[in-house]
Amino acid sequence: PTFESRGKVLGAPPHGSMSVSAAITGGDARLHGARTAVRAESYGSRIAWAGVCALLFVAPFEALRPLLQLPGQAVSTTEAALLTVFAAWIAAQVVLRAVPEWRTPLTLPWLALLAVMLTAAVAAPVHQANAVHMVGRLGLAFGVFLLAVNGVTTAGRLEGVLVAAALSGVLVSTL
């Protein structure tokens, strides 16, 4: 038998590469159609990717005191960053008339979990406000997931996110 140094060949190579978000969503996550849709995907996707990277740098350095104190809610620096990133991404989607990718294999289970959690939170006999607040936090986590699905669309962007996470970790470790 002949041994090849590259390992076992399991079939013909694919005809194109699949984006990271396409692997998560089970298909091609890119928008198709008119030239505007392609530009919208590119611009909105870049904003989403930059937002994911920014959140990786901001989250570990959350201030001990709230940035803004509202009745019943304190807004931290991380929450303000989340709101800023979401606002920029949503504004880009609205201006460019683009629909973000949201149909993934994890969307329905996540939404079902949020619905059950919200039902339980509203029905809670004690600490109802805290329970609803936690549902909101999980809703924000779902938003971050969608941000990543729409922003991390190439291997290069995934590498950028991993580098941002590593650099953020290095900065945290030096403190």
Side-chain angles (χ1 to χ4, degrees), residues 17-51:
S17 63
M18 181 182 286
S19 71
V20 175
S21 60
I24 292 170
T25 62
D28 190 6
R30 294 189 174 92
L31 297 174
H32 297 286
R35 186 174 172 190
T36 305
V38 172
R39 192 179 75 218
E41 188 275 342
S42 176
Y43 184 68
S45 181
R46 276 183 271 166
I47 288 177
W49 176 72

PDB file of all heavy atoms in Angstrom, residues 17-51:
ATOM      1  N   SER A  17     -15.736  27.881   0.012  1.00  0.00           N
ATOM      2  CA  SER A  17     -15.628  27.828   1.462  1.00  0.00           C
ATOM      3  C   SER A  17     -16.928  28.299   2.083  1.00  0.00           C
ATOM      4  O   SER A  17     -17.681  29.060   1.493  1.00  0.00           O
ATOM      5  CB  SER A  17     -14.469  28.703   1.925  1.00  0.00           C
ATOM      6  OG  SER A  17     -14.733  30.044   1.586  1.00  0.00           O
ATOM      7  N   MET A  18     -17.195  27.829   3.277  1.00  0.00           N
ATOM      8  CA  MET A  18     -18.403  28.203   3.994  1.00  0.00           C
ATOM      9  C   MET A  18     -18.017  29.167   5.105  1.00  0.00           C
ATOM     10  O   MET A  18     -17.021  28.965   5.790  1.00  0.00           O
ATOM     11  CB  MET A  18     -19.070  26.957   4.583  1.00  0.00           C
ATOM     12  CG  MET A  18     -20.359  27.247   5.329  1.00  0.00           C
ATOM     13  SD  MET A  18     -21.102  25.791   6.072  1.00  0.00           S
ATOM     14  CE  MET A  18     -21.764  24.989   4.635  1.00  0.00           C
ATOM     15  N   SER A  19     -18.797  30.229   5.263  1.00  0.00           N
ATOM     16  CA  SER A  19     -18.506  31.184   6.318  1.00  0.00           C
ATOM     17  C   SER A  19     -18.764  30.545   7.677  1.00  0.00           C
ATOM     18  O   SER A  19     -19.468  29.547   7.784  1.00  0.00           O
ATOM     19  CB  SER A  19     -19.366  32.441   6.153  1.00  0.00           C
ATOM     20  OG  SER A  19     -20.708  32.150   6.467  1.00  0.00           O
ATOM     21  N   VAL A  20     -18.193  31.131   8.703  1.00  0.00           N
ATOM     22  CA  VAL A  20     -18.383  30.632  10.061  1.00  0.00           C
ATOM     23  C   VAL A  20     -19.856  30.691  10.431  1.00  0.00           C
ATOM     24  O   VAL A  20     -20.409  29.750  10.979  1.00  0.00           O
ATOM     25  CB  VAL A  20     -17.520  31.446  11.050  1.00  0.00           C
ATOM     26  CG1 VAL A  20     -17.806  31.030  12.470  1.00  0.00           C
ATOM     27  CG2 VAL A  20     -16.052  31.273  10.726  1.00  0.00           C
ATOM     28  N   SER A  21     -20.501  31.815  10.114  1.00  0.00           N
ATOM     29  CA  SER A  21     -21.922  31.928  10.447  1.00  0.00           C
ATOM     30  C   SER A  21     -22.753  30.952   9.629  1.00  0.00           C
ATOM     31  O   SER A  21     -23.772  30.462  10.098  1.00  0.00           O
ATOM     32  CB  SER A  21     -22.423  33.354  10.266  1.00  0.00           C
ATOM     33  OG  SER A  21     -22.254  33.768   8.940  1.00  0.00           O
ATOM     34  N   ALA A  22     -22.323  30.638   8.422  1.00  0.00           N
ATOM     35  CA  ALA A  22     -23.048  29.655   7.627  1.00  0.00           C
ATOM     36  C   ALA A  22     -22.928  28.276   8.260  1.00  0.00           C
ATOM     37  O   ALA A  22     -23.884  27.501   8.246  1.00  0.00           O
ATOM     38  CB  ALA A  22     -22.524  29.637   6.196  1.00  0.00           C
ATOM     39  N   ALA A  23     -21.777  27.980   8.824  1.00  0.00           N
ATOM     40  CA  ALA A  23     -21.615  26.701   9.509  1.00  0.00           C
ATOM     41  C   ALA A  23     -22.542  26.630  10.716  1.00  0.00           C
ATOM     42  O   ALA A  23     -23.136  25.594  11.000  1.00  0.00           O
ATOM     43  CB  ALA A  23     -20.164  26.522   9.941  1.00  0.00           C
ATOM     44  N   ILE A  24     -22.697  27.754  11.416  1.00  0.00           N
ATOM     45  CA  ILE A  24     -23.586  27.799  12.576  1.00  0.00           C
ATOM     46  C   ILE A  24     -25.037  27.699  12.125  1.00  0.00           C
ATOM     47  O   ILE A  24     -25.839  27.010  12.730  1.00  0.00           O
ATOM     48  CB  ILE A  24     -23.364  29.093  13.386  1.00  0.00           C
ATOM     49  CG1 ILE A  24     -21.993  29.065  14.049  1.00  0.00           C
ATOM     50  CG2 ILE A  24     -24.452  29.278  14.435  1.00  0.00           C
ATOM     51  CD1 ILE A  24     -21.604  30.383  14.671  1.00  0.00           C
ATOM     52  N   THR A  25     -25.382  28.407  11.073  1.00  0.00           N
ATOM     53  CA  THR A  25     -26.774  28.465  10.628  1.00  0.00           C
ATOM     54  C   THR A  25     -27.183  27.294   9.759  1.00  0.00           C
ATOM     55  O   THR A  25     -28.349  27.140   9.454  1.00  0.00           O
ATOM     56  CB  THR A  25     -27.049  29.772   9.856  1.00  0.00           C
ATOM     57  OG1 THR A  25     -26.222  29.801   8.695  1.00  0.00           O
ATOM     58  CG2 THR A  25     -26.813  30.987  10.714  1.00  0.00           C
ATOM     59  N   GLY A  26     -26.235  26.493   9.338  1.00  0.00           N
ATOM     60  CA  GLY A  26     -26.571  25.337   8.522  1.00  0.00           C
ATOM     61  C   GLY A  26     -26.738  25.655   7.050  1.00  0.00           C
ATOM     62  O   GLY A  26     -27.302  24.888   6.299  1.00  0.00           O
ATOM     63  N   GLY A  27     -26.260  26.787   6.612  1.00  0.00           N
ATOM     64  CA  GLY A  27     -26.377  27.182   5.208  1.00  0.00           C
ATOM     65  C   GLY A  27     -25.550  28.418   4.970  1.00  0.00           C
ATOM     66  O   GLY A  27     -24.739  28.801   5.798  1.00  0.00           O
ATOM     67  N   ASP A  28     -25.765  29.064   3.868  1.00  0.00           N
ATOM     68  CA  ASP A  28     -25.019  30.273   3.542  1.00  0.00           C
ATOM     69  C   ASP A  28     -25.684  31.457   4.216  1.00  0.00           C
ATOM     70  O   ASP A  28     -26.843  31.756   3.978  1.00  0.00           O
ATOM     71  CB  ASP A  28     -24.974  30.472   2.028  1.00  0.00           C
ATOM     72  CG  ASP A  28     -24.022  31.579   1.620  1.00  0.00           C
ATOM     73  OD1 ASP A  28     -23.316  32.108   2.502  1.00  0.00           O
ATOM     74  OD2 ASP A  28     -23.973  31.911   0.430  1.00  0.00           O
ATOM     75  N   ALA A  29     -24.959  32.151   5.089  1.00  0.00           N
ATOM     76  CA  ALA A  29     -25.518  33.263   5.839  1.00  0.00           C
ATOM     77  C   ALA A  29     -25.458  34.577   5.074  1.00  0.00           C
ATOM     78  O   ALA A  29     -25.943  35.586   5.534  1.00  0.00           O
ATOM     79  CB  ALA A  29     -24.771  33.420   7.162  1.00  0.00           C
ATOM     80  N   ARG A  30     -24.866  34.579   3.903  1.00  0.00           N
ATOM     81  CA  ARG A  30     -24.748  35.829   3.145  1.00  0.00           C
ATOM     82  C   ARG A  30     -26.060  36.182   2.485  1.00  0.00           C
ATOM     83  O   ARG A  30     -26.846  35.314   2.110  1.00  0.00           O
ATOM     84  CB  ARG A  30     -23.661  35.681   2.095  1.00  0.00           C
ATOM     85  CG  ARG A  30     -22.301  35.526   2.726  1.00  0.00           C
ATOM     86  CD  ARG A  30     -21.222  35.612   1.666  1.00  0.00           C
ATOM     87  NE  ARG A  30     -19.939  35.597   2.311  1.00  0.00           N
ATOM     88  CZ  ARG A  30     -19.253  34.497   2.541  1.00  0.00           C
ATOM     89  NH1 ARG A  30     -19.728  33.332   2.175  1.00  0.00           N
ATOM     90  NH2 ARG A  30     -18.093  34.562   3.149  1.00  0.00           N
ATOM     91  N   LEU A  31     -26.296  37.482   2.328  1.00  0.00           N
ATOM     92  CA  LEU A  31     -27.499  37.946   1.655  1.00  0.00           C
ATOM     93  C   LEU A  31     -27.288  37.856   0.149  1.00  0.00           C
ATOM     94  O   LEU A  31     -26.212  38.123  -0.356  1.00  0.00           O
ATOM     95  CB  LEU A  31     -27.806  39.397   2.033  1.00  0.00           C
ATOM     96  CG  LEU A  31     -28.121  39.642   3.492  1.00  0.00           C
ATOM     97  CD1 LEU A  31     -28.260  41.145   3.739  1.00  0.00           C
ATOM     98  CD2 LEU A  31     -29.396  38.942   3.886  1.00  0.00           C
ATOM     99  N   HIS A  32     -28.318  37.484  -0.562  1.00  0.00           N
ATOM    100  CA  HIS A  32     -28.240  37.380  -2.013  1.00  0.00           C
ATOM    101  C   HIS A  32     -29.207  38.375  -2.622  1.00  0.00           C
ATOM    102  O   HIS A  32     -30.157  38.806  -2.005  1.00  0.00           O
ATOM    103  CB  HIS A  32     -28.610  35.965  -2.468  1.00  0.00           C
ATOM    104  CG  HIS A  32     -27.669  34.936  -1.948  1.00  0.00           C
ATOM    105  ND1 HIS A  32     -26.408  34.765  -2.443  1.00  0.00           N
ATOM    106  CD2 HIS A  32     -27.804  34.051  -0.940  1.00  0.00           C
ATOM    107  CE1 HIS A  32     -25.812  33.798  -1.787  1.00  0.00           C
ATOM    108  NE2 HIS A  32     -26.635  33.351  -0.867  1.00  0.00           N
ATOM    109  N   GLY A  33     -28.984  38.730  -3.852  1.00  0.00           N
ATOM    110  CA  GLY A  33     -29.935  39.593  -4.532  1.00  0.00           C
ATOM    111  C   GLY A  33     -29.267  40.816  -5.102  1.00  0.00           C
ATOM    112  O   GLY A  33     -28.197  40.757  -5.680  1.00  0.00           O
ATOM    113  N   ALA A  34     -29.903  41.936  -4.927  1.00  0.00           N
ATOM    114  CA  ALA A  34     -29.460  43.184  -5.532  1.00  0.00           C
ATOM    115  C   ALA A  34     -28.124  43.644  -4.970  1.00  0.00           C
ATOM    116  O   ALA A  34     -27.689  43.210  -3.915  1.00  0.00           O
ATOM    117  CB  ALA A  34     -30.514  44.259  -5.302  1.00  0.00           C
ATOM    118  N   ARG A  35     -27.530  44.566  -5.686  1.00  0.00           N
ATOM    119  CA  ARG A  35     -26.245  45.123  -5.283  1.00  0.00           C
ATOM    120  C   ARG A  35     -26.341  45.782  -3.911  1.00  0.00           C
ATOM    121  O   ARG A  35     -25.425  45.717  -3.112  1.00  0.00           O
ATOM    122  CB  ARG A  35     -25.801  46.123  -6.338  1.00  0.00           C
ATOM    123  CG  ARG A  35     -24.446  46.667  -6.131  1.00  0.00           C
ATOM    124  CD  ARG A  35     -24.050  47.518  -7.307  1.00  0.00           C
ATOM    125  NE  ARG A  35     -22.823  48.186  -7.008  1.00  0.00           N
ATOM    126  CZ  ARG A  35     -22.316  49.124  -7.730  1.00  0.00           C
ATOM    127  NH1 ARG A  35     -22.934  49.512  -8.818  1.00  0.00           N
ATOM    128  NH2 ARG A  35     -21.186  49.686  -7.407  1.00  0.00           N
ATOM    129  N   THR A  36     -27.465  46.419  -3.623  1.00  0.00           N
ATOM    130  CA  THR A  36     -27.674  47.057  -2.330  1.00  0.00           C
ATOM    131  C   THR A  36     -27.614  46.027  -1.211  1.00  0.00           C
ATOM    132  O   THR A  36     -27.042  46.278  -0.163  1.00  0.00           O
ATOM    133  CB  THR A  36     -29.040  47.771  -2.304  1.00  0.00           C
ATOM    134  OG1 THR A  36     -29.092  48.664  -3.397  1.00  0.00           O
ATOM    135  CG2 THR A  36     -29.251  48.512  -1.016  1.00  0.00           C
ATOM    136  N   ALA A  37     -28.191  44.846  -1.433  1.00  0.00           N
ATOM    137  CA  ALA A  37     -28.187  43.814  -0.407  1.00  0.00           C
ATOM    138  C   ALA A  37     -26.767  43.348  -0.113  1.00  0.00           C
ATOM    139  O   ALA A  37     -26.410  43.118   1.033  1.00  0.00           O
ATOM    140  CB  ALA A  37     -29.056  42.634  -0.835  1.00  0.00           C
ATOM    141  N   VAL A  38     -25.941  43.226  -1.148  1.00  0.00           N
ATOM    142  CA  VAL A  38     -24.556  42.803  -0.943  1.00  0.00           C
ATOM    143  C   VAL A  38     -23.802  43.858  -0.146  1.00  0.00           C
ATOM    144  O   VAL A  38     -23.099  43.554   0.805  1.00  0.00           O
ATOM    145  CB  VAL A  38     -23.868  42.523  -2.297  1.00  0.00           C
ATOM    146  CG1 VAL A  38     -22.387  42.269  -2.105  1.00  0.00           C
ATOM    147  CG2 VAL A  38     -24.530  41.359  -2.989  1.00  0.00           C
ATOM    148  N   ARG A  39     -23.966  45.130  -0.516  1.00  0.00           N
ATOM    149  CA  ARG A  39     -23.303  46.208   0.205  1.00  0.00           C
ATOM    150  C   ARG A  39     -23.820  46.278   1.638  1.00  0.00           C
ATOM    151  O   ARG A  39     -23.058  46.471   2.568  1.00  0.00           O
ATOM    152  CB  ARG A  39     -23.529  47.542  -0.512  1.00  0.00           C
ATOM    153  CG  ARG A  39     -22.631  48.633   0.032  1.00  0.00           C
ATOM    154  CD  ARG A  39     -22.834  49.946  -0.674  1.00  0.00           C
ATOM    155  NE  ARG A  39     -24.078  50.520  -0.195  1.00  0.00           N
ATOM    156  CZ  ARG A  39     -24.948  51.175  -0.934  1.00  0.00           C
ATOM    157  NH1 ARG A  39     -24.727  51.357  -2.208  1.00  0.00           N
ATOM    158  NH2 ARG A  39     -26.057  51.651  -0.427  1.00  0.00           N
ATOM    159  N   ALA A  40     -25.116  46.082   1.819  1.00  0.00           N
ATOM    160  CA  ALA A  40     -25.705  46.127   3.151  1.00  0.00           C
ATOM    161  C   ALA A  40     -25.121  45.021   4.019  1.00  0.00           C
ATOM    162  O   ALA A  40     -24.789  45.232   5.172  1.00  0.00           O
ATOM    163  CB  ALA A  40     -27.224  45.991   3.057  1.00  0.00           C
ATOM    164  N   GLU A  41     -24.999  43.822   3.463  1.00  0.00           N
ATOM    165  CA  GLU A  41     -24.444  42.712   4.221  1.00  0.00           C
ATOM    166  C   GLU A  41     -23.021  43.027   4.620  1.00  0.00           C
ATOM    167  O   GLU A  41     -22.627  42.819   5.738  1.00  0.00           O
ATOM    168  CB  GLU A  41     -24.512  41.435   3.389  1.00  0.00           C
ATOM    169  CG  GLU A  41     -24.128  40.191   4.150  1.00  0.00           C
ATOM    170  CD  GLU A  41     -22.640  39.892   4.195  1.00  0.00           C
ATOM    171  OE1 GLU A  41     -21.864  40.439   3.382  1.00  0.00           O
ATOM    172  OE2 GLU A  41     -22.239  39.123   5.054  1.00  0.00           O
ATOM    173  N   SER A  42     -22.269  43.573   3.701  1.00  0.00           N
ATOM    174  CA  SER A  42     -20.870  43.854   3.967  1.00  0.00           C
ATOM    175  C   SER A  42     -20.718  44.912   5.062  1.00  0.00           C
ATOM    176  O   SER A  42     -19.977  44.731   6.008  1.00  0.00           O
ATOM    177  CB  SER A  42     -20.202  44.310   2.677  1.00  0.00           C
ATOM    178  OG  SER A  42     -18.876  44.685   2.920  1.00  0.00           O
ATOM    179  N   TYR A  43     -21.444  46.016   4.929  1.00  0.00           N
ATOM    180  CA  TYR A  43     -21.336  47.112   5.897  1.00  0.00           C
ATOM    181  C   TYR A  43     -21.920  46.710   7.251  1.00  0.00           C
ATOM    182  O   TYR A  43     -21.290  46.905   8.288  1.00  0.00           O
ATOM    183  CB  TYR A  43     -22.046  48.350   5.339  1.00  0.00           C
ATOM    184  CG  TYR A  43     -21.909  49.564   6.218  1.00  0.00           C
ATOM    185  CD1 TYR A  43     -20.674  50.180   6.387  1.00  0.00           C
ATOM    186  CD2 TYR A  43     -23.006  50.089   6.877  1.00  0.00           C
ATOM    187  CE1 TYR A  43     -20.547  51.290   7.193  1.00  0.00           C
ATOM    188  CE2 TYR A  43     -22.884  51.199   7.688  1.00  0.00           C
ATOM    189  CZ  TYR A  43     -21.657  51.800   7.843  1.00  0.00           C
ATOM    190  OH  TYR A  43     -21.528  52.887   8.644  1.00  0.00           O
ATOM    191  N   GLY A  44     -23.110  46.132   7.245  1.00  0.00           N
ATOM    192  CA  GLY A  44     -23.728  45.694   8.492  1.00  0.00           C
ATOM    193  C   GLY A  44     -22.922  44.608   9.170  1.00  0.00           C
ATOM    194  O   GLY A  44     -22.792  44.568  10.390  1.00  0.00           O
ATOM    195  N   SER A  45     -22.362  43.729   8.368  1.00  0.00           N
ATOM    196  CA  SER A  45     -21.540  42.648   8.895  1.00  0.00           C
ATOM    197  C   SER A  45     -20.260  43.189   9.542  1.00  0.00           C
ATOM    198  O   SER A  45     -19.840  42.715  10.594  1.00  0.00           O
ATOM    199  CB  SER A  45     -21.200  41.676   7.764  1.00  0.00           C
ATOM    200  OG  SER A  45     -20.420  40.618   8.237  1.00  0.00           O
ATOM    201  N   ARG A  46     -19.670  44.209   8.909  1.00  0.00           N
ATOM    202  CA  ARG A  46     -18.469  44.819   9.504  1.00  0.00           C
ATOM    203  C   ARG A  46     -18.774  45.492  10.832  1.00  0.00           C
ATOM    204  O   ARG A  46     -17.991  45.411  11.772  1.00  0.00           O
ATOM    205  CB  ARG A  46     -17.844  45.819   8.539  1.00  0.00           C
ATOM    206  CG  ARG A  46     -16.937  45.152   7.527  1.00  0.00           C
ATOM    207  CD  ARG A  46     -16.282  46.162   6.652  1.00  0.00           C
ATOM    208  NE  ARG A  46     -17.218  46.338   5.524  1.00  0.00           N
ATOM    209  CZ  ARG A  46     -17.174  47.305   4.651  1.00  0.00           C
ATOM    210  NH1 ARG A  46     -16.268  48.244   4.738  1.00  0.00           N
ATOM    211  NH2 ARG A  46     -18.033  47.371   3.673  1.00  0.00           N
ATOM    212  N   ILE A  47     -19.916  46.158  10.912  1.00  0.00           N
ATOM    213  CA  ILE A  47     -20.301  46.799  12.167  1.00  0.00           C
ATOM    214  C   ILE A  47     -20.535  45.735  13.245  1.00  0.00           C
ATOM    215  O   ILE A  47     -20.109  45.896  14.392  1.00  0.00           O
ATOM    216  CB  ILE A  47     -21.549  47.683  11.968  1.00  0.00           C
ATOM    217  CG1 ILE A  47     -21.159  48.925  11.173  1.00  0.00           C
ATOM    218  CG2 ILE A  47     -22.174  48.073  13.303  1.00  0.00           C
ATOM    219  CD1 ILE A  47     -22.301  49.833  10.840  1.00  0.00           C
ATOM    220  N   ALA A  48     -21.201  44.649  12.880  1.00  0.00           N
ATOM    221  CA  ALA A  48     -21.450  43.570  13.839  1.00  0.00           C
ATOM    222  C   ALA A  48     -20.134  42.971  14.322  1.00  0.00           C
ATOM    223  O   ALA A  48     -19.946  42.735  15.520  1.00  0.00           O
ATOM    224  CB  ALA A  48     -22.334  42.494  13.203  1.00  0.00           C
ATOM    225  N   TRP A  49     -19.213  42.744  13.401  1.00  0.00           N
ATOM    226  CA  TRP A  49     -17.917  42.171  13.775  1.00  0.00           C
ATOM    227  C   TRP A  49     -17.142  43.121  14.693  1.00  0.00           C
ATOM    228  O   TRP A  49     -16.590  42.697  15.706  1.00  0.00           O
ATOM    229  CB  TRP A  49     -17.105  41.867  12.515  1.00  0.00           C
ATOM    230  CG  TRP A  49     -15.725  41.375  12.797  1.00  0.00           C
ATOM    231  CD1 TRP A  49     -15.370  40.158  13.294  1.00  0.00           C
ATOM    232  CD2 TRP A  49     -14.507  42.104  12.628  1.00  0.00           C
ATOM    233  NE1 TRP A  49     -14.016  40.077  13.427  1.00  0.00           N
ATOM    234  CE2 TRP A  49     -13.451  41.268  13.025  1.00  0.00           C
ATOM    235  CE3 TRP A  49     -14.217  43.377  12.166  1.00  0.00           C
ATOM    236  CZ2 TRP A  49     -12.131  41.668  12.993  1.00  0.00           C
ATOM    237  CZ3 TRP A  49     -12.890  43.771  12.128  1.00  0.00           C
ATOM    238  CH2 TRP A  49     -11.868  42.916  12.533  1.00  0.00           C
ATOM    239  N   ALA A  50     -17.107  44.399  14.340  1.00  0.00           N
ATOM    240  CA  ALA A  50     -16.422  45.379  15.186  1.00  0.00           C
ATOM    241  C   ALA A  50     -17.080  45.442  16.562  1.00  0.00           C
ATOM    242  O   ALA A  50     -16.399  45.591  17.583  1.00  0.00           O
ATOM    243  CB  ALA A  50     -16.437  46.754  14.518  1.00  0.00           C
ATOM    244  N   GLY A  51     -18.400  45.311  16.592  1.00  0.00           N
ATOM    245  CA  GLY A  51     -19.108  45.313  17.867  1.00  0.00           C
ATOM    246  C   GLY A  51     -18.743  44.134  18.740  1.00  0.00           C
ATOM    247  O   GLY A  51     -18.551  44.275  19.954  1.00  0.00           O
TER     248      GLY A  51
END
